[in-house]
Amino acid sequence: MSLVGTVAASVSLALTGPALMIGGNFPGYGTLRGDDPPDQVTAAVLRADPAPETGGHVSFNDPTGDHDQQFALVDRIDRAIASSSRDATIRLAAYSFAMPSTSEALVRAHARGVNVRVVVDDHSAHWGSVRRLEKALGTDTSAQSFVKVCKLSCRGGRGNQHAKFVTISDGTWGRKGNLHDNLVLVGSLNLTNFSSQRQWNDLYMASDREAHDQLADVFRGLVNDTPQPRMRLGETGTGFATDVAPYRVSSRADDPIESRLARVRCQGASLVSGDHGRTVIRISMHAWNGDRGIVLARQVARLHRRGCDVKVLYGVGMGRVVANTLRDAGVPIRDSKGADGRRVHHKVMVLSGVLGRQTDANYVWTGSHNWSDRSLRNDEIMFRISGRALVQAYLANFRTIWKVAKP
């Protein structure tokens, strides 16, 4: 049975209930390849621990749809802000911020007693939405509410503030007004009309204390606006894992993406992951270029040759050598630009199959981190979430875009 073949068509899926069950007959683990030594794969099958399943909701906008579909992610952020309780703390990090509705939602929250703290890159500093926030909140970072503008990477000496996330310490959510403390919202969306109407984006939202506190720590580092050592965050007890740039890469072990790809095995997926024993990889990447991009492309090409089921969608920032490396290896690759010119803005990798000792891995990495040299210099967030239902939702979105993309 193929996990890929059972993907739900929905582009917004609640993940707080029981995991989706997939019926049918399974062919087993599949045939071992030369790149997968039998002793390693057998050991992985025998020792693998169950992959954690993170709860939450994932949503996607549809830039080809009507207004509500285009601005679905902005609406989700605005409603989350509106749900915040008095004396809660909202932290919002953005690269491009020109969305009046979100600015207004933050000003209203501040007016009713919520602590509202915003960090943006300086290219947004003169836009009306940010200027209105500065007028309402002030710029004193020692105050309970403020706007902080970083001229370069907040935690480094080069690059930009490119991280995109929101945390809300407590509030209500849903039609029944259920209490949800420690909200985290992470994805690829810029708070602009262009991002909603011309780009495919994702937004993941969960109520999780450990993930909230980690992102709050990241935010405090951004506010300091001074070069800092690499920030290393451990996996939470609830299955989240966060990687934060900027940092320097001197070896494969230093780059979390290189390290991740090096741990992938193409055969031996368990009954609850992969496709007939094969590991499935889907990459939807806005920018994939530079020397680092070439190294990552070679790793992905190698995995395809070894039998992984790999497909790639790309946006405007695909390097020529990267694209040729993938095509020469036979990797199915499509320019996400359809007839209407819209493209992916995701920074997403989906993996279902074998990762290290896990034969039942179902993971999605999302956030702001492109596969490029520049992302090593920027403030970036790469957020790992997990679960079969979550993977299915991202695969469904990938298939939707694949159908309209250029071969």
Side-chain angles (χ1 to χ4, degrees):
M1 173 62 71
S2 164
L3 181 65
V4 178
T6 61
V7 173
S10 172
V11 298
S12 181
L13 181 63
L15 304 177
T16 53
L20 296 184
M21 300 303 294
I22 302 174
N25 297 319
F26 291 87
Y29 289 107
T31 304
L32 299 178
R33 295 291 186 114
D35 65 302
D36 296 311
D39 58 333
Q40 292 184 16
V41 175
T42 302
V45 171
L46 293 176
R47 295 197 305 267
D49 296 323
E53 299 227 356
T54 53
H57 301 260
V58 58
S59 299
F60 307 95
N61 75 315
D62 182 353
T64 68
D66 60 24
H67 181 275
D68 289 346
Q69 292 170 317
Q70 291 177 341
F71 288 87
L73 307 187
V74 172
D75 179 65
R76 173 148 293 201
I77 292 172
D78 291 351
R79 287 190 293 133
I81 293 169
S83 79
S84 57
S85 301
R86 181 180 176 86
D87 297 326
T89 298
I90 296 174
R91 299 175 178 88
L92 184 149
Y95 173 62
S96 293
F97 192 157
M99 188 56 60
S101 66
T102 306
S103 180
E104 291 168 6
L106 291 169
V107 170
R108 287 195 297 269
H110 172 67
R112 66 172 186 271
V114 179
N115 303 318
V116 178
R117 302 167 187 176
V118 177
V119 173
V120 298
D121 184 73
D122 73 331
H123 86 279
S124 298
H126 301 294
W127 294 352
S129 294
V130 173
R131 294 176 68 180
R132 182 181 182 193
L133 282 173
E134 287 181 326
K135 183 177 180 179
L137 309 182
T139 59
D140 180 2
T141 58
S142 66
Q144 293 299 315
S145 296
F146 57 81
V147 175
K148 170 65 181 178
V149 176
C150 292
K151 294 184 178 180
L152 298 170
S153 164
C154 300
R155 298 184 62 254
R158 300 180 295 168
N160 299 99
Q161 195 315 95
H162 195 248
K164 314 165 198 297
F165 65 89
V166 181
T167 67
I168 303 177
S169 61
D170 60 86
T172 57
W173 181 261
R175 294 178 180 177
K176 296 181 180 180
N178 297 324
L179 182 66
H180 287 287
D181 294 341
N182 303 303
L183 282 178
V184 297
L185 299 94
V186 179
S188 61
L189 179 73
N190 284 314
L191 292 168
T192 65
N193 288 331
F194 183 86
S195 193
S196 294
Q197 296 177 309
R198 305 296 298 176
Q199 296 176 329
W200 302 86
N201 284 286
D202 69 310
L203 183 69
Y204 176 79
M205 183 177 77
S207 175
D208 187 273
R209 176 62 179 270
E210 291 183 83
H212 172 277
D213 290 351
Q214 283 193 343
L215 290 180
D217 285 343
V218 174
F219 189 90
R220 283 187 281 269
L222 298 177
V223 172
N224 286 339
D225 195 14
T226 185
Q228 299 159 44
R230 179 170 181 172
M231 193 172 192
R232 296 185 183 272
L233 300 171
E235 180 177 336
T236 71
T238 47
F240 294 99
T242 307
D243 187 81
V244 182
Y247 47 78
R248 292 186 178 183
V249 171
S250 58
S251 68
R252 171 171 291 183
D254 291 335
D255 190 325
I257 301 175
E258 285 192 66
S259 178
R260 179 202 317 163
L261 293 172
R263 296 172 58 217
V264 175
R265 296 294 178 266
C266 293
Q267 303 293 336
S270 72
L271 306 184
V272 295
S273 66
D275 182 2
H276 295 81
R278 298 171 66 199
T279 295
V280 173
I281 299 172
R282 297 291 182 265
I283 300 168
S284 183
M285 195 60 51
H286 172 67
W288 187 348
N289 54 53
D291 293 339
R292 182 191 189 211
I294 294 170
V295 171
L296 299 177
R298 289 170 179 164
Q299 286 183 280
V300 172
R302 189 177 302 116
L303 290 172
H304 176 73
R305 292 190 182 102
R306 291 176 174 177
C308 286
D309 177 356
V310 183
K311 288 185 179 179
V312 173
L313 281 166
Y314 66 89
V316 299
M318 174 65 80
R320 180 180 299 179
V321 176
V322 170
N324 289 340
T325 299
L326 297 172
R327 291 192 181 105
D328 289 348
V331 176
I333 173 175
R334 289 189 179 181
D335 181 348
S336 59
K337 181 180 180 181
D340 54 11
R342 291 162 173 82
R343 281 192 162 108
V344 295
H345 188 245
H346 301 143
K347 300 89 170 58
V348 166
M349 173 176 160
V350 183
L351 183 143
S352 180
V354 185
L355 181 68
R357 294 170 57 180
Q358 288 187 338
T359 61
D360 62 349
N362 283 296
Y363 291 122
V364 178
W365 289 265
T366 186
S368 64
H369 194 117
N370 287 299
W371 288 15
S372 65
D373 298 330
R374 186 176 184 85
S375 287
L376 298 175
R377 303 189 294 268
N378 291 343
D379 295 306
E380 305 279 11
I381 290 292
M382 186 160 47
F383 199 58
R384 192 201 73 188
I385 46 189
S386 59
R388 293 171 67 193
L390 176 63
V391 164
Q392 288 179 346
Y394 272 92
L395 289 175
N397 183 246
F398 188 97
R399 290 174 61 188
T400 296
I401 305 170
W402 188 264
K403 291 177 182 178
V404 302
K406 293 181 179 179

